[in-house]
Amino acid sequence: MNQAASAKQRFASDLHLALSQRPRSVAPKYFYDEIGSQLFEQICELPEYYPTRTELALLRAHGAEMAACMGPHAQLVEYGAGALRKVRHLIAHLDEPHAFVPVDISGAHLLSACAELQQAYPALAIKPVVADFTQPHDLPPRPARGRRVGFFPGSSIGNFSPAETQAFFQMTAQELRGGGLLIGIDLIKDPAVLHAAYNDAAGVTAAFNLNLLARARRELGAEFDPAGFEHSAFYNAPQQRIEMHLLSLREQRFRLDGVDYEFAAGETLHTENSHKYSIAGFQAQAARAGFRAGPVWTDARGWFSLLWLEA
Ligand code: AVI
């Protein structure tokens, strides 16, 4: 089976599983087909969605200090690399980097982003790894002189389940042993600010969420009435996370591969958690995998942080 066919089959079987259980919940990775990835790019530009802008400003202002933590001759591994926009602010300040190793599952996008980066930094050794970084993967050999260090921006860790978070810390603590990890986290704040960020006035986040159903129709031939579902995003304060759901507006049927799934009015398909953190709480979580807390950079409003963790 080719890669596209097996990815489609995994989406179908995960969706069947999601629809069979109560409460219904599916992994947020299924947002990101071509259309979903474009919608996410648009989210990052929204006036209400502060994380991308805030993190970029921190990287612009403090990239030199962050690169200094990484040390000379570093091998810099970026997890889930995307467009490679943020990492430029580190690369620009690295002292004779050994190599830049972006790890991403989307091979075509990764390679074109690398080609663009290479133009800006012709002397930089770029060694892309096409892989799901949450699964066991190979990296190029460790540098002889410098340290291997990691970069995981965007508070992408916030979309992991607690078990996935712990697995990520365990994996990176081992992979980056003797080096460190620079990681972006979205901080706990006024729920009204969070609510606006995930319920933007232009409706882009709603389209992003609903695209999961549209994707099921495009790729898997799922049959349902798109007008029967609505975007729902709210802050769950006890769990310190934004939850996104697809809310069924009435009693209805969702058909997948000839199997009928009934939705009651008000029932949801839970599509994403986006965890928000305190700095101390996050450092304590990382410490359980052996990371030691280092410098922290936070914007003046206290909305977003980049943390250096020694591995
Ligand atoms: C990718 N991730 C960190 C985003 C977030 O804020 O949790 C995904 C997102 N979902 C809705 N808006 C943005």
Side-chain angles (χ1 to χ4, degrees):
M1 201 186 307
N2 68 29
Q3 236 186 1
S6 65
K8 199 161 128 171
Q9 207 168 59
R10 268 198 305 276
F11 180 29
S13 62
D14 280 356
L15 196 54
H16 275 294
L17 198 69
L19 293 166
S20 311
Q21 67 193 0
R22 294 291 193 289
R24 289 172 158 154
S25 156
V26 69
K29 66 178 175 191
Y30 291 115
F31 285 140
Y32 299 95
D33 67 345
E34 201 62 40
I35 294 176
S37 300
Q38 275 168 21
L39 286 166
F40 180 63
E41 290 293 313
Q42 287 178 40
I43 287 176
C44 293
E45 304 290 329
L46 290 169
E48 298 96 331
Y49 193 76
Y50 60 85
T52 312
R53 200 170 299 120
T54 310
E55 188 178 45
L56 266 169
L58 287 172
L59 284 162
R60 252 182 234 120
H62 304 288
E65 297 153 51
M66 296 170 191
C69 288
M70 297 178 168
H73 315 295
Q75 182 188 80
L76 174 58
V77 180
E78 182 170 358
Y79 298 102
L84 306 181
R85 248 191 338 141
K86 292 174 182 167
V87 78
R88 288 170 183 244
H89 299 284
L90 298 174
I91 290 173
H93 297 288
L94 280 176
D95 180 5
E96 295 183 40
H98 165 266
F100 172 54
V101 183
V103 186
D104 200 282
I105 196 160
S106 166
H109 283 141
L110 179 62
L111 298 183
S112 79
C114 285
E116 229 179 272
L117 186 72
Q118 191 77 78
Q119 287 198 331
Y121 296 94
L124 180 69
I126 305 179
K127 301 182 175 170
V129 173
V130 180
D132 175 351
F133 67 84
T134 65
Q135 300 301 314
H137 54 262
D138 290 326
L139 291 180
R142 290 172 186 274
R145 291 190 290 171
R147 308 194 295 165
R148 184 188 272 164
V149 297
F151 183 44
F152 193 35
S155 201
S156 296
I157 196 161
N159 299 134
F160 289 175
S161 68
E164 288 167 336
T165 302
Q166 218 40 43
F168 176 77
F169 279 140
Q170 301 284 1
M171 183 267 295
T172 47
Q174 208 177 3
E175 198 158 87
L176 305 173
R177 178 136 309 140
L181 174 67
L182 181 69
I183 186 162
I185 58 166
D186 197 11
L187 300 175
I188 295 166
K189 60 182 64 63
D190 180 350
V193 174
L194 292 171
H195 186 87
Y198 293 83
N199 291 279
D200 60 284
V204 183
T205 309
F208 174 70
N209 195 9
L210 287 159
N211 177 56
L212 191 129
L213 295 180
R215 180 182 179 184
R217 198 169 40 171
R218 282 193 300 272
E219 281 183 27
L220 310 175
E223 293 166 53
F224 60 96
D225 173 13
F229 291 91
E230 190 177 80
H231 166 69
S232 164
F234 55 87
Y235 186 57
N236 179 335
Q239 301 282 348
Q240 300 177 340
R241 67 191 192 199
I242 285 280
E243 291 188 15
M244 293 217 309
H245 294 251
L246 290 159
L247 172 70
S248 175
L249 295 173
R250 52 180 171 74
E251 196 179 304
Q252 59 184 317
R253 186 165 299 159
F254 185 101
R255 176 171 286 186
L256 183 62
D257 297 325
V259 183
D260 283 336
Y261 296 98
E262 305 293 336
F263 274 87
E267 204 180 335
T268 74
L269 173 61
H270 187 172
T271 48
E272 186 184 65
N273 288 319
S274 186
H275 291 92
K276 311 302 165 191
Y277 305 93
S278 70
I279 293 167
F282 188 81
Q283 287 170 332
Q285 247 178 293
R288 274 185 247 137
F291 281 105
R292 295 177 308 282
V296 178
W297 297 269
T298 305
D299 62 294
R301 294 184 294 195
W303 283 4
F304 199 95
S305 283
L306 278 152
L307 281 72
W308 176 250
L309 301 168
E310 289 279 337

